[in-house]
Amino acid sequence: MEFLRKINNTNARRKKMSATYSKEVEVVNVLGIHARPSSKIASLANALNAEDVFIRDAKNPDQKIDPKSIMGVMEISAAVGAKIIVFTKKENMRKAVDALAELIESGFGEELRKK
């Protein structure tokens, strides 16, 4: 019985975290998400006033990081090739999700991975 309750609690938590709108992007810059890209993500998120927009490592469905926080973004420590999900539950934040996803996909003006 305890086991079933834990499963139900986990499923309820996942439903609560499900995003209204999300984009999965790949980290393409050779050095991955380090201090400089984290700063660029945070600057853009703050400029867009990205309230209730979050990012997470695609491998970690329970992660929910505020992109306006440089330290929070650095917590992801995503290497080149890692998948990042940018998401929101607010309809009016879709453009912010798109802009942040585009920034990550651009490689932050750094050296890109060779294909």
Side-chain angles (χ1 to χ4, degrees):
M1 195 63 149
E2 178 68 23
F3 176 72
L4 289 175
R5 192 166 41 121
K6 284 182 180 179
I7 289 174
N8 288 335
N9 285 342
T10 300
N11 289 338
R13 198 175 336 120
R14 282 198 179 125
K15 283 180 186 174
K16 199 185 297 182
M17 288 281 299
S18 67
T20 300
Y21 184 72
S22 66
K23 290 249 178 147
E24 182 176 289
V25 293
E26 184 175 346
V27 177
V28 295
N29 58 311
V30 173
L31 298 176
I33 305 290
H34 55 90
R36 194 172 320 114
S38 295
S39 174
K40 288 183 177 186
I41 290 169
S43 292
L44 179 59
N46 280 299
L48 295 170
N49 197 23
E51 295 299 322
D52 296 316
V53 174
F54 302 97
I55 61 173
R56 69 175 177 84
D57 186 317
K59 293 180 182 176
N60 189 348
D62 293 326
Q63 193 174 45
K64 188 175 178 182
I65 293 174
D66 183 353
K68 296 185 302 293
S69 164
I70 294 171
M71 295 307 288
V73 175
M74 286 180 64
E75 217 176 281
I76 293 177
S77 64
V80 65
K83 303 285 184 183
I84 302 291
I85 298 179
V86 185
F87 63 99
T88 186
K89 290 186 177 186
K90 297 221 173 180
E91 289 294 320
N92 63 341
M93 288 289 121
R94 286 178 173 230
K95 288 182 181 180
V97 168
D98 292 339
L100 289 165
E102 188 177 311
L103 175 64
I104 295 167
E105 286 179 319
S106 75
F108 309 99
E110 297 184 351
E111 180 183 354
L112 303 180
R113 171 185 65 194
K114 293 182 176 132
K115 294 186 180 194

